[in-house]
Amino acid sequence: MPSMNSWYYRFLENYVYVRPSPPPRKRTKPMEVLCVGMPRSGTESLQIALLKLGYDYTLHGWDLIHEEPNYAQEWVKLCRKKWFGPLDGGSPFTAEEFDAVLGHSVAVTDAAASVFAAELIAAYPDAKVVLNYRNDLDAWHRSATQTIVKVNKGWGIYLLAGLSGQIFWSWQLYIRLMWPGLFRALDGDIETGMSRNGKWVYREHCNMIRGLVPKERLLEWKVEDGWEPLCEFLGKPVPDEPFPHVNATSGWKDQEARIARRGLTDAVQNLGVIFAVLGGAVAISYQFLIR
């Protein structure tokens, strides 16, 4: 497989699947909460909880795929800056760069928050930081390999990525850049990267956060802790309802099906255009030949 920094992938991004960039988002409210724990660590439950506490909007990794207008292409550019930036290494991320894609959000969790954890913490120094984690590292590893890794084996979505610009950018963002980068899959294979590296990357990620964030600005939290420590840390009243528990493996499959349906619709439309163009070319050629 070509390197992600090769001419091949840059050609696809810059010429084949390029689309007009959506307008940069503008920040109207400050970034308040960064939930920088690894994926499959209660991230969707945390999103729902923060929305209930009034943090509207709280961005989740699924939003990078489903939101309209879609900013996946812009997130790919941020990934390229992170891993394939200037050779002098002197190009730090700014709040303005992140605001352009998440300026509508006052909190963020899941993929973007974990992949860009250090950069977000530096860009938003006044935001509180939640390190959401799981006590059972083996259980986390099983969950991740049953969900994140299996997407890489999804030939249906892989084929759709060739026919649908929407799916191409989602695939490029997650399967080609975010997950290999996060899990140190140097060969681009997130299956072996997760299997070999997932556990130590998880531990190193948590230790990095602890080293970056002052204790008074950091909450280490797991879903089993529920509302009380989270609300105390954020200075919010405790809701009179159970803490939300969402996105089991079945929920992940529902999201995959949603992505496939969206990609299929886009692919059918694109195929219709391709066949129409080919049909027109054949008709013109035929008319030319019979003259």
Side-chain angles (χ1 to χ4, degrees), residues 26 32 38 75 100 144 220 239 257 262 269-270 284-285:
K26 303 292 184 182
E32 297 185 65
M38 296 289 268
W75 281 104
E220 297 191 30
R262 179 181 180 184
Q269 292 174 346
N270 290 340
I284 292 170
S285 300

Side-chain angles (χ1 to χ4, degrees), residues 147-167:
T147 52
I148 294 172
V149 167
K150 284 192 175 180
V151 175
N152 195 42
K153 297 180 178 180
W155 282 98
I157 295 180
Y158 174 77
L159 293 174
L160 286 174
L163 296 170
S164 164
Q166 293 178 336
I167 303 304

Side-chain angles (χ1 to χ4, degrees), residues 4 18 78 85 120 140 142 155 162 186 192 197 235 238-239 249 260 277:
M4 279 305 300
V18 66
L78 292 176
L120 288 167
W140 171 83
R142 286 193 299 272
W155 282 98
L186 301 185
T192 55
N197 307 330
V238 176
T249 301
V277 171

